[in-house]
Amino acid sequence: MSSQNIYILGIESSCDDTAASVIHNGKILSNVVANQKIHEEFGGVVPELASRAHQQNIVPVVHQALKKANINKSQLHAVAFTRGPGLMGSLLVGTSFAKSFAYGLNIPLIDVNHMQAHILAHFIDEEGFEKPSFPFLAMTISGGHTQIVKVDNYFEMTVIGETIDDAVGEAFDKSGKILGLGYPAGPEIDKRAKLGNPKAFQFTKPKVDGLNFSFSGLKTAILYFIQREVKTNSNFITENLNDICASIQYTIIGILIDKLKLASKLTGIKHIAIGGGVSANSGIRQALKNGEQKFGWTTYVPKFEFTTDNAAMIAIVGYLKYLEGDFAEQDVMASARLKI
């Protein structure tokens, strides 16, 4: 890493959180996130409401990030922003602001792939957290994505497995909706799973060839199971909620770990890293740690605040690309379906 005093502003606006972060030579000075609570009443993210909220939040969030970092905007060396993937309206807000901000300060503009950022969040300088050794396997699990990526260096990544339908975060949220839980349901299922029996109820794991995932069939199986049991006992969910949550989580974790085991076997790589919002799940983190003993893995789990959508991960990618002189032009456009 460079010994220069390099300050990068990172901006994240891919979905429903507006975030800004300032990084100094790989170390995060500030990481500010404005959550959008309005989506909870709809049981999911409403794109139009999300983009409007980004417009309201982005200026105060950036101001707060600079203030917390204790620097002036004139000290910035570049502005990094999420180009994609994500919701187009949300991406446009962040992209437009970043372009204008960089242009006004006459500093470089750096576009960032949101999925790469989840992986490279592991390279933020953070005491107590080790950085993965290349090559490593990264499993990115979130509300919109489930991928296994072979990472050869900072910017050479190959997707070797991904979901063919629902993402793992959707599996948690849709299961939660069936059970009458709020949105997002993942944290509540995780909380209740700790109190339940993970083998109380059995759900069949979807059979998908290779390293790809499928969660749509599991969601349907859970729906039919609940409908069948409620017909017999109208209080079934209430009486068994912790066990149901534990069983659902146990099944989902099993699917993820099975694919990781196969990926490790096929590639010969035993360095395993996880990222994305669902990696905050305590059961998944524990299963990954267990893999160190069972399979000889070396595992890497990021700091909690760097797992969900955040600007610190955008800032670290911006810093790494800045060192490479990899800048974007002012005509760069947001891309809702940007690939790794």
Side-chain angles (χ1 to χ4, degrees):
M1 292 294 181
S2 171
S3 59
Q4 284 183 272
N5 285 318
I6 297 171
Y7 294 92
I8 308 287
L9 171 68
I11 295 171
E12 155 63 16
S13 69
S14 65
C15 191
D16 61 332
D17 290 334
T18 315
S21 174
V22 175
I23 194 169
H24 173 233
N25 292 355
K27 188 171 183 62
I28 298 300
L29 300 183
S30 64
N31 189 28
V32 180
V33 181
N35 303 113
Q36 299 178 9
K37 298 293 185 183
I38 192 170
H39 304 286
E40 291 178 5
E41 62 182 286
F42 298 99
V45 178
V46 182
E48 178 61 26
L49 294 178
S51 56
R52 289 182 183 180
H54 282 303
Q55 289 178 310
Q56 294 171 342
N57 293 336
I58 196 162
V59 171
V61 163
V62 168
H63 174 76
Q64 190 69 11
L66 291 169
K67 185 177 179 181
K68 282 193 171 186
N70 197 29
I71 69 164
N72 188 284
K73 60 187 178 183
S74 62
Q75 293 175 257
L76 293 172
H77 290 77
V79 179
F81 70 97
T82 302
R83 183 185 170 206
L87 301 175
M88 194 60 182
S90 296
L91 291 168
L92 285 172
V93 175
T95 301
S96 300
F97 181 90
K99 289 164 74 169
S100 301
F101 203 63
Y103 185 81
L105 294 172
N106 193 30
I107 57 177
L109 181 69
I110 301 172
D111 63 307
V112 175
N113 183 306
H114 180 88
M115 301 308 296
Q116 286 186 333
H118 271 304
I119 295 170
L120 295 179
H122 286 276
F123 293 93
I124 293 170
D125 288 339
E126 189 68 33
E127 189 175 348
F129 290 82
E130 291 187 19
K131 300 173 183 178
S133 301
F134 297 115
F136 66 92
L137 295 176
M139 186 169 70
T140 306
I141 43 180
S142 67
H145 302 277
T146 305
Q147 294 182 336
I148 298 178
V149 182
K150 181 175 177 286
V151 185
D152 292 305
N153 61 47
Y154 295 133
F155 302 113
E156 284 188 31
M157 304 181 184
T158 307
V159 177
I160 58 175
E162 59 188 339
T163 182
I164 59 175
D165 42 55
D166 288 354
V168 65
E170 290 176 282
F172 275 113
D173 288 336
K174 289 178 179 178
S175 297
K177 189 173 184 179
I178 293 167
L179 298 174
L181 302 179
Y183 173 86
E188 182 68 14
I189 290 176
D190 187 22
K191 177 182 171 183
R192 291 186 173 276
K194 295 175 185 176
L195 305 174
N197 176 7
K199 297 184 180 179
F201 307 106
Q202 288 193 332
F203 300 108
T204 303
K205 295 177 185 176
K207 290 182 171 61
V208 183
D209 291 337
L211 297 175
N212 286 337
F213 300 85
S214 172
F215 291 100
S216 180
L218 176 62
K219 172 206 66 180
T220 304
I222 293 167
L223 174 63
Y224 289 164
F225 167 76
I226 294 297
Q227 288 176 339
R228 185 173 64 249
E229 295 296 331
V230 168
K231 276 185 181 179
T232 306
N233 175 10
S234 60
N235 295 319
F236 177 76
I237 295 176
T238 304
E239 293 173 359
N240 298 277
L241 187 54
N242 292 340
D243 285 347
I244 298 169
C245 288
S247 300
I248 290 172
Q249 181 158 298
Y250 179 78
T251 305
I252 290 174
I253 291 171
I255 294 168
L256 296 174
I257 296 300
D258 284 350
K259 293 295 183 178
L260 266 182
K261 283 165 56 181
L262 180 58
S264 179
K265 182 181 177 180
L266 292 174
T267 62
I269 297 172
K270 291 186 178 292
H271 289 271
I272 313 288
I274 60 170
V278 181
S279 68
N281 180 281
S282 65
I284 292 173
R285 287 176 172 238
Q286 187 57 52
L288 198 69
K289 278 295 175 187
N290 292 343
E292 294 188 329
Q293 296 294 325
K294 291 182 180 178
F295 317 120
W297 294 346
T298 302
T299 63
Y300 305 87
V301 181
K303 189 176 180 181
F304 182 83
E305 69 179 280
F306 302 146
T307 57
T308 53
D309 290 351
N310 65 91
M313 67 183 194
I314 306 303
I316 185 63
V317 181
Y319 176 61
L320 294 170
K321 293 183 83 169
Y322 183 89
L323 295 179
E324 296 285 322
D326 187 0
F327 306 138
E329 300 295 334
Q330 273 289 327
D331 61 358
V332 65
M333 296 177 66
S335 176
R337 298 185 180 277
L338 190 64
K339 302 290 185 182
I340 286 182

